[in-house]
Amino acid sequence: MSKTVKELADELGVSKQTIQYHYQRLPANKRQKDRQGRNLISSDLERIIRNKVAKVLPPNNHQKDRQTSSKSDKNNIDIIATMKDEITYLRADRDKQFAAKDQQIEKLQKLLDQSQQLQLMTAQKLKQLEKPKNERESDFKEKDEQIHARASEVPKAAENSADKPVTFWQRLFGEQNNK
């Protein structure tokens, strides 16, 4: 009733390396191999290896599981508490930011209202200034026409005097006494 290392490992629920480790620690005269070179474990050796594996694994596994579960529970509780604090902080920060944004929006709305009022006042003043300006423009047009008429008379007078040719400066400034 010999078993291979793999068969015993599967029965005990451990790795082949664990069984191989304990098998190698046994006296050489008790170890056996089959025709294919595989290690065979007799029922006596099986009992010895079972006792060693059973002593080593279950207490440690149970203790590790208990320690791991208690540590993970403590870690989870700590993480939950930290996350709750962070959520509270973020909510307070969000509320502060919303309040600040509301104030900024209110200020911008006031500035926009003031700007619109100033534009309206400017438009009204421009309308008031345009009315007299139209009257002034007609006055300026009359004066411009008078100036053009005088300017056109000066060259005609210069054409009448055949003694001296009219210079550029005389045309520009009209007749002046020549030196």
Side-chain angles (χ1 to χ4, degrees), residues 40-145:
L40 292 177
I41 302 171
S42 66
S43 58
D44 293 334
L45 292 177
E46 181 182 340
R47 191 172 15 92
I48 293 170
I49 292 173
R50 277 183 187 266
N51 288 337
K52 288 184 179 184
V53 171
K55 287 180 184 176
V56 173
L57 288 179
N60 287 340
N61 280 345
H62 293 297
Q63 287 176 354
K64 285 182 182 178
D65 289 343
R66 289 179 187 162
Q67 289 175 352
T68 305
S69 66
S70 64
K71 286 181 182 178
S72 66
D73 289 345
K74 288 178 184 176
N75 286 341
N76 287 342
I77 291 170
D78 291 343
I79 290 171
I80 290 170
T82 304
M83 293 178 90
K84 284 182 180 179
D85 292 341
E86 188 173 348
I87 289 170
T88 304
Y89 171 76
L90 290 173
R91 283 182 179 164
D93 188 44
R94 179 198 62 196
D95 292 341
K96 288 178 186 176
Q97 289 178 355
F98 281 152
K101 295 291 182 194
D102 289 343
Q103 289 176 352
Q104 289 175 348
I105 290 171
E106 191 174 314
K107 286 180 183 177
L108 290 172
Q109 187 65 37
K110 286 181 183 177
L111 289 172
L112 181 63
D113 289 342
Q114 290 174 354
S115 173
Q116 289 174 345
Q117 289 174 0
L118 286 173
Q119 287 177 345
L120 180 63
M121 290 171 50
T122 304
Q124 289 174 349
K125 286 185 179 180
L126 283 174
K127 284 181 182 178
Q128 289 176 354
L129 291 174
E130 283 179 2
K131 290 178 184 177
K133 185 178 179 183
N134 288 339
E135 294 172 3
R136 290 181 192 163
E137 285 179 4
S138 61
D139 291 341
F140 287 131
K141 286 180 183 177
E142 291 175 8
K143 289 180 183 177
D144 284 343
E145 290 173 1

Side-chain angles (χ1 to χ4, degrees), residues 39 57 148 156:
N39 293 325
L57 288 179
H148 287 297
K156 290 178 184 175

